[in-house]
C-alpha cells in the first residue's frame, strides 16, 4: 500500500481530531479548575490545525 501526501494528511487529520477530542474531554471531565480551560483550549487548537490539514488535501 503506497501512501502519498494526501493519505498522510488524512491520517494526520484524523489523529489530530482524536487527540483534540481527548484533550477537550480531559478539560471537561477530569480537571474542574483553571487547568481544564487550558486543556480545552489546546484541544480547540488541535481542531484548528486538523482543519488546515484537511484543507491542504489535494493542494500539495
Amino acid at each position: 500500500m503506497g501512501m502519498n501526501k494526501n493519505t498522510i494528511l488524512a491520517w494526520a487529520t484524523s489523529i489530530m481530531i482524536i487527540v483534540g477530542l481527548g484533550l477537550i474531554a480531559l478539560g471537561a471531565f477530569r480537571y474542574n479548575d483553571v487547568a481544564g480551560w487550558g486543556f480545552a483550549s489546546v484541544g480547540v487548537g488541535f481542531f484548528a490545525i486538523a482543519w488546515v490539514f484537511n484543507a491542504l488535501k489535494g493542494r500539495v
Side-chain angles (χ1 to χ4, degrees), residues 7-31:
T7 308
I8 292 172
L9 283 173
W11 275 102
T13 300
S14 53
I15 289 170
M16 292 200 68
I17 287 173
I18 291 169
V19 170
L21 283 174
L23 285 169
I24 290 173
L26 273 176
F29 300 118
R30 177 71 171 102
Y31 297 105

Side-chain angles (χ1 to χ4, degrees), residues 35-53:
W37 288 99
F39 275 103
S41 63
V42 170
V44 171
F46 268 79
F47 278 158
I49 297 170
W51 181 29
V52 170
F53 282 172

